[in-house]
Amino acid sequence: MQQTAPLSPEHFWETITGFQRSAAMKSAVELEIFTKIAEGNKTAKQIAEACGAVERGIRILCDSMTVMGFLTKENGEYGLTEESAAFLDKNSMMYLGGTVDFILSPMQKRGFEDLTDAVIKGGSTVTKEGSLEPESPMWVKFARGMVGMMMPSAQMIAANIGFEPDQKLKVLDIAAGHGIFGIVVAQHYKNAEIYALDWANVLQVATENAERFGVADRHHLIEGSAFDVDFGEGYDIVLLTNFLHHFDQQTNEDLLRKIYQSLADGGKVLTLEFIPNDDRVSPPSEAMFSLVMLAATPAGDAYTFAELKEMCENAGFSRNEHIPLAPMPQHLVISMK
Amino acid sequence: MQQTAPLSPEHFWETITGFQRSAAMKSAVELEIFTKIAEGNKTAKQIAEACGAVERGIRILCDSMTVMGFLTKENGEYGLTEESAAFLDKNSMMYLGGTVDFILSPMQKRGFEDLTDAVIKGGSTVTKEGSLEPESPMWVKFARGMVGMMMPSAQMIAANIGFEPDQKLKVLDIAAGHGIFGIVVAQHYKNAEIYALDWANVLQVATENAERFGVADRHHLIEGSAFDVDFGEGYDIVLLTNFLHHFDQQTNEDLLRKIYQSLADGGKVLTLEFIPNDDRVSPPSEAMFSLVMLAATPAGDAYTFAELKEMCENAGFSRNEHIPLAPMPQHLVISMK
């Protein structure tokens, strides 16, 4: 006879205490404990001295990180796991700690504070300094914090462009943010000129990155809202990354129509999105993103490919291809003019 | 050759987005979606109508609950899982939804907002309306929300008392809260008189529960702080549940000495605590509790049995027994006078 485990509220408990683990990771990153451990500090006392904190606080924080699987502990000495060495040591090329500045910023958390009201209303209750406000400082945080997390997708986009390597390309990078999507295209295509569009405060970050990655001479700026400014014309490529999910379908269709007009014949728009299956509950990360949009925007969503295809078709794009970028949760849609 | 999975930041991502899942569960409980589904509402439209919310908001929330494993979804119809039917339907005897009122209350979350400062300082930065304030409304929320979660421990305590069933017992229930620990002892021991000690506002909840469980005639109240009020004397049992973790060792020793004085010869104190192993990083739930105390108290901790034993011995208790209550994360220490 098969024995079944007794029913336990463990998963429920893990879920409602998840905010505690988010906060612990934010503190661990802010205090740079992973970096300090990588630098040779092993005991709570040593790490505390290196971090300028009280030993008791560091002991409790490091123990929690050990329970959560981000540190090892043996004979009172802490060590990094493979994952934390790669992603949480500030001196690692793959450092992702900066994401906490965005994901766990007061601005991002605010929508979730009022989530019940957002569910009742069917959209975010955040009205001031929301994600859609001009010059919202949220997007500077995004631009600064999310480069590492977005780099794999940026590489995949560049790999899917499909033009000849030495071709002259005019590229519009809409809501460029950190600028990394256009910048990586510029690295792959030596004759590509990038036009990065975003709020002026955000473009400062993109400009810094263009310099850092050595493509500043081919990186141009268009300041303002994608809905208001003149794009210009003759683009071979339009990069539309992490943008459509903030808006309703009609708004997106209007924007896609404007993009269509700005493209040269044979041009294409590459849309990067969280795209759940038609059931809207798989794959997990893509499907969960809908909740983030409910919390943060009036009418945004994680759209299915069928929905995105319909928007693109209504805007004039007759050929639309869906390319999942697994294991990353983001997908690419390539729409041809 | 063994293939290893490529290094992924998935666990880090899950961790920093944990607050989103906590918020989603809080909303699902507040809107009673599990109860509405149990009552026969299946589609997002039906559930939305039953909850008084917009369909779009409910669809996104229910999809997130499905991704998280608390709902099923087939052909657009949602259903309860075994776990959510048991613990999240308000009409279930095992309903635990009320715990979100405490665990995710602004008061509980506040300490985690400032966790980095708490680590630096080695104790909570919350100074007003903190957990140790007289008449803190936090403990009314605790008393109302945590009965279900504490019931298994209450049953285990009563089962470990070890006196004859019809024996006359004088029982002191320190920081009684919901009162359930003393109440369950009163149910097991028909000749037990319970003296529940807590703030007056909290004792209202204990009194309600004593009536509900049919032991009101043997349930007496002592209003005030355990550190200040006169306990009286001649107790056979002192229940010291979820209390010591809020304070430093010296404070606990002083309290245990006061308890020792109040006990009759042959009396015993039953201490309920999260007790991690000496390594302080196992078992997971016990070890993680230390972080909750760092966030919420100036000097509290999840003490090891060695530490608790030392406090008890210094207070005069020479025989101290450690009884884990697995699968629950709380443990019992029985100290004999």
Side-chain angles (χ1 to χ4, degrees):
Chain A
M1 223 176 83
Q2 211 183 341
Q3 211 167 2
T4 52
L7 208 53
S8 150
E10 195 180 328
H11 182 40
F12 168 70
W13 187 255
E14 286 287 304
T15 301
I16 64 173
T17 56
F19 80 97
Q20 299 172 355
R21 295 187 295 281
S22 296
M25 179 55 83
K26 182 164 183 278
S27 293
V29 167
E30 285 178 353
L31 291 165
E32 303 185 1
I33 65 162
F34 303 102
T35 310
K36 302 303 179 191
I37 291 171
E39 288 169 356
N41 301 287
K42 290 176 181 172
T43 63
K45 187 162 186 284
Q46 289 165 347
I47 301 163
E49 274 168 24
C51 296
V54 163
E55 180 179 347
R56 171 189 148 77
I58 291 293
R59 183 262 293 172
I60 293 176
L61 182 63
C62 288
D63 283 346
S64 79
M65 285 296 128
T66 307
V67 176
M68 291 156 70
F70 294 104
L71 288 179
T72 60
K73 183 182 186 184
E74 267 181 67
N75 304 317
E77 295 192 344
Y78 299 97
L80 300 184
T81 64
E82 213 184 343
E83 186 179 353
S84 58
F87 301 120
L88 298 171
D89 169 10
K90 254 197 154 165
N91 298 311
S92 163
M93 288 286 289
M94 288 189 281
Y95 180 68
L96 294 179
T99 52
V100 305
D101 286 342
F102 176 66
I103 300 293
L104 289 162
S105 64
M107 287 173 288
Q108 282 290 304
K109 285 166 75 179
R110 205 173 28 167
F112 282 95
E113 295 296 324
D114 280 337
L115 188 62
T116 300
D117 288 340
V119 173
I120 291 171
K121 191 184 148 193
S124 179
T125 59
V126 177
T127 50
K128 293 212 171 166
E129 289 181 9
S131 53
L132 308 185
E133 291 276 308
E135 306 266 333
S136 168
M138 182 188 294
W139 299 118
V140 177
K141 277 203 188 278
F142 177 85
R144 293 218 182 273
M146 300 299 282
V147 174
M149 207 59 138
M150 290 300 153
M151 195 51 103
S153 298
Q155 296 290 345
M156 297 290 271
I157 287 180
N160 277 284
I161 291 233
F163 285 107
E164 293 300 315
D166 53 359
Q167 199 160 333
K168 248 189 112 167
L169 293 176
K170 188 175 178 186
V171 179
L172 177 62
D173 186 2
I174 291 179
H178 37 64
I180 216 71
F181 295 109
I183 288 166
V184 172
V185 171
Q187 288 185 315
H188 280 65
Y189 291 85
K190 301 300 173 197
N191 296 316
E193 299 284 328
I194 315 299
Y195 294 82
L197 185 157
D198 213 317
W199 306 114
N201 57 346
V202 182
L203 285 177
Q204 289 176 17
V205 185
T207 300
E208 284 169 29
N209 285 330
E211 282 163 11
R212 187 173 139 214
F213 288 94
V215 300
D217 55 326
R218 292 180 287 130
H219 198 261
H220 317 285
L221 308 179
I222 305 177
E223 292 178 6
S225 157
F227 298 104
D228 302 330
V229 297
D230 182 15
F231 290 164
E233 56 181 16
Y235 291 102
D236 303 292
I237 304 281
V238 174
L239 303 174
L240 188 62
T241 57
N242 296 316
F243 195 68
L244 297 184
H245 52 244
H246 296 96
F247 309 101
D248 62 53
Q249 305 202 17
Q250 187 57 55
T251 304
N252 287 335
E253 263 183 46
D254 293 345
L255 182 77
L256 284 160
R257 207 169 283 117
K258 182 176 172 182
I259 290 170
Y260 189 88
Q261 297 300 329
S262 75
L263 280 171
D265 286 342
K268 46 184 125 174
V269 51
L270 287 87
T271 303
L272 186 73
E273 276 299 327
F274 294 87
I275 304 182
N277 296 328
D278 289 337
D279 64 11
R280 294 202 112 98
V281 292
S282 65
S285 300
E286 288 86 328
M288 280 301 285
F289 191 73
S290 195
L291 187 74
V292 182
M293 289 301 99
L294 178 67
T297 70
D301 211 337
Y303 293 108
T304 64
F305 178 62
E307 290 169 333
L308 289 167
K309 188 162 172 271
E310 192 188 347
M311 295 178 218
C312 290
E313 285 176 349
N314 289 346
F317 295 96
S318 52
R319 287 163 53 214
N320 300 285
E321 192 186 351
H322 177 195
I323 306 174
L325 305 180
M328 280 164 295
Q330 295 196 300
H331 301 223
L332 201 54
V333 174
I334 303 186
S335 307
M336 259 76 69
K337 181 167 180 176
Chain B
M1 220 174 84
Q2 213 183 341
Q3 210 168 3
T4 52
L7 210 53
S8 149
E10 194 180 327
H11 182 41
F12 168 70
W13 187 255
E14 286 287 303
T15 301
I16 64 173
T17 56
F19 80 98
Q20 299 172 355
R21 295 186 296 281
S22 296
M25 179 54 83
K26 182 165 184 279
S27 293
V29 167
E30 285 177 354
L31 292 164
E32 303 183 4
I33 65 162
F34 304 102
T35 310
K36 302 303 179 191
I37 292 171
E39 288 169 357
N41 301 287
K42 290 176 181 173
T43 64
K45 187 163 186 285
Q46 290 165 348
I47 301 163
E49 274 169 24
C51 295
V54 163
E55 180 180 348
R56 170 189 149 77
I58 291 293
R59 183 262 292 170
I60 293 176
L61 182 63
C62 288
D63 283 347
S64 79
M65 285 296 129
T66 307
V67 176
M68 291 156 70
F70 294 104
L71 288 179
T72 59
K73 183 181 186 184
E74 267 180 68
N75 304 319
E77 295 191 344
Y78 299 97
L80 300 184
T81 62
E82 213 184 343
E83 186 180 353
S84 58
F87 301 119
L88 298 172
D89 169 10
K90 254 195 152 164
N91 298 312
S92 162
M93 288 286 289
M94 289 189 280
Y95 181 67
L96 294 180
T99 52
V100 306
D101 287 341
F102 176 66
I103 300 292
L104 289 162
S105 63
M107 288 173 288
Q108 283 289 304
K109 284 166 77 179
R110 204 172 30 165
F112 282 95
E113 296 295 324
D114 280 336
L115 187 62
T116 301
D117 287 340
V119 173
I120 290 171
K121 192 184 149 193
S124 178
T125 59
V126 177
T127 51
K128 292 212 171 165
E129 289 183 9
S131 54
L132 308 185
E133 291 276 308
E135 305 267 333
S136 168
M138 181 188 294
W139 298 118
V140 177
K141 277 204 189 279
F142 177 86
R144 294 217 182 273
M146 300 300 281
V147 174
M149 206 58 136
M150 290 300 152
M151 195 51 104
S153 299
Q155 297 290 345
M156 297 288 272
I157 287 180
N160 276 283
I161 291 234
F163 285 107
E164 293 300 315
D166 53 359
Q167 198 160 333
K168 247 190 114 168
L169 292 176
K170 188 176 178 186
V171 179
L172 177 62
D173 186 1
I174 292 179
H178 38 64
I180 217 70
F181 295 110
I183 288 166
V184 173
V185 170
Q187 289 185 314
H188 280 66
Y189 290 86
K190 300 300 173 197
N191 296 315
E193 299 284 329
I194 315 299
Y195 293 82
L197 185 158
D198 213 317
W199 306 112
N201 58 345
V202 182
L203 284 176
Q204 289 177 17
V205 184
T207 299
E208 285 169 28
N209 284 330
E211 282 164 11
R212 188 173 139 213
F213 288 95
V215 300
D217 56 327
R218 292 180 287 129
H219 199 261
H220 317 285
L221 307 180
I222 306 177
E223 292 179 6
S225 157
F227 298 105
D228 302 331
V229 298
D230 182 15
F231 290 164
E233 55 181 15
Y235 291 103
D236 303 291
I237 304 280
V238 174
L239 303 174
L240 188 61
T241 57
N242 296 315
F243 195 67
L244 297 184
H245 52 243
H246 296 97
F247 309 102
D248 62 52
Q249 304 201 16
Q250 186 58 55
T251 305
N252 287 336
E253 263 182 46
D254 293 345
L255 182 77
L256 284 161
R257 205 168 287 117
K258 182 175 173 183
I259 291 170
Y260 189 89
Q261 297 299 329
S262 75
L263 279 172
D265 286 341
K268 44 184 126 175
V269 51
L270 287 87
T271 303
L272 187 73
E273 276 299 326
F274 294 88
I275 305 182
N277 296 328
D278 288 336
D279 65 10
R280 293 202 114 97
V281 293
S282 64
S285 299
E286 289 85 328
M288 280 301 284
F289 191 73
S290 195
L291 187 73
V292 181
M293 288 301 100
L294 177 67
T297 70
D301 211 337
Y303 292 108
T304 64
F305 178 62
E307 290 169 334
L308 289 167
K309 188 162 172 271
E310 192 188 346
M311 294 177 220
C312 291
E313 285 176 350
N314 289 346
F317 295 96
S318 52
R319 287 163 54 213
N320 301 285
E321 192 186 353
H322 177 194
I323 305 174
L325 304 180
M328 282 165 293
Q330 295 197 300
H331 301 222
L332 202 54
V333 174
I334 303 186
S335 307
M336 258 75 71
K337 181 167 181 176

